[in-house]
Amino acid sequence: MPPPSDLERALRGVSLRVTRPRVAVLSAVHSHPHADTETIIGIVREGLGGVSHQAVYDVLRALTTAGLVRRIEPQGSVARYEARVGDNHHHVVCRSCGAIADVDCAVGEAPCLTASDDHGFLVEEAEVVYWGLCPVCTTTAG
C-alpha cells in the first residue's frame, strides 16, 4: 500500500482536495482490492470513526470519476472497487464464494481484444470476466 504522502500526491495530481476521508478511502481501496462499499466503509470507520455512508459513497464516486479508482460490477455482485487503473486487465470470479482476482490482458496491447465487428465504434477498452471456482471452493466441492 502506498504511504499517505503518495495518496495525497495522487489526489492533488487529479485536482482533488486532500481530505482525511479521501485519503482513508483511497488507502482502503489500495489495501483491499475488489472490496465492496460496505467493507470500505468499515475499514474507513476503523481509522476515522464516524464517517457517514454517504461520505464514503461520495468519495468513491469522486475517486472513480478522477480515474484513481476503478469500479467493477460482475454480474450478480455488488459494485467492487480497485486501485489498479490505467491498464486493461480483466477479472476471474468464483461462482461459489464470489472471490475476485486480477487477470492480465489476454493478448497484445490495450484494448487487447479486437472485436469481430466493432460496428464503427472506437474501442477504448475491453472487459472480460472469467467465471469458475476458486481453489478453496474447488477443494470443498470435490
Side-chain angles (χ1 to χ4, degrees), residues 90-95 99 101 103-107 113 128-132:
H90 308 295
H91 298 96
V92 59
V93 181
C94 180
R95 289 187 188 277
V103 176
D104 287 332
C105 196
V107 289
L113 296 178
V128 174
V129 177
Y130 300 93
W131 294 90

Side-chain angles (χ1 to χ4, degrees), residues 45-92:
R45 285 184 173 168
E46 284 177 17
L48 295 183
V51 176
S52 72
H53 278 73
Q54 190 60 51
V56 174
Y57 279 104
D58 291 346
V59 170
L60 285 168
R61 187 176 316 109
L63 295 176
T64 301
T65 300
L68 293 178
V69 165
R70 180 178 177 194
R71 175 188 165 121
I72 62 170
E73 200 166 347
Q75 182 180 352
S77 175
V78 297
R80 309 289 184 118
Y81 295 88
E82 64 182 353
R84 184 176 171 183
V85 296
D87 67 353
N88 194 48
H89 72 280
H90 308 295
H91 298 96
V92 59

Side-chain angles (χ1 to χ4, degrees), residues 12-27:
R12 287 187 190 99
V14 293
S15 300
L16 287 176
R17 207 166 40 92
V18 174
T19 64
R20 290 180 63 216
R22 284 181 177 161
V23 171
V25 170
L26 190 53
S27 176

